[in-house]
Amino acid sequence: MSVQHATIALLDTEPELGEGLNPQERESAGRVLTVPTRAIDPGPWSPNDGLAGVAPIVGLLIVDGIINRDLLFAGRTSTELLGAGDLLRPWDDDHQFEALPFSVTWHVHVPSRVAILDTRVAMAAGRWPPIARALGARHVRRARTLSFQRAIAQLPRVEDRVLVLLWTLAERWGRVGTQGVRLPLGLPHRTLATLVGARRPSVTTAVTGLTR
């Protein structure tokens, strides 16, 4: 279930989008870039529902939370884990190929929120090139993350795959403490398996070995 919430000041929430603007431009863009948000409860999610008539011309930006995209093809599932700062365009990502049928589902792990980047954002990107550059960088970052995830899946030993994946996730979501780095994601072994391209029992065995 999801509900519409009040607007947010996009450049306050995502200051990186305003890098490269001079103070006057930053002030003007800040006034323009107020966008509606949508809160999402944990569980299955349909990105196209609950937009309340607002057209996400640029896309959906995850403000906070953790969401995964599962792609089922030929009986196997691959997973992409997404979080704050990731820019989504599900209507483009999930374009079907007749010769290679697949299905895509989305799942929200914790209470999350997305910003709907509408026409105002598209116009602002045209007026202030640094904003367009920053939005484009989000797509590149997501593509590079997927590329590295594919490289992890090529490691021969599942235990190595899991260990490298955990350090990769810790780089983004980890919290440094006195006893090491804590990764407060609570991902089930099934999700870890689809992230590294392995079977769940193999991942459970790997995690047990790493724990020892």
Side-chain angles (χ1 to χ4, degrees), residues 57-101:
I57 302 299
V58 176
L60 302 174
L61 181 71
I62 301 178
V63 177
D64 46 51
I66 300 171
I67 301 172
N68 68 260
R69 175 179 181 268
D70 293 324
L71 187 149
L72 176 62
F73 172 68
R76 298 295 297 268
T77 300
S78 62
T79 295
E80 179 184 7
L81 199 64
L82 301 155
D86 284 322
L87 184 57
L88 316 178
R89 291 184 57 86
W91 40 93
D92 292 336
D93 292 348
D94 304 340
H95 179 71
Q96 295 289 325
F97 299 94
E98 290 185 9
L100 300 171

Side-chain angles (χ1 to χ4, degrees), residues 161-172:
R161 297 184 204 176
V162 173
L163 182 59
V164 175
L165 173 70
L166 291 176
W167 275 113
T168 302
L169 298 178
E171 188 71 22
R172 181 170 184 181

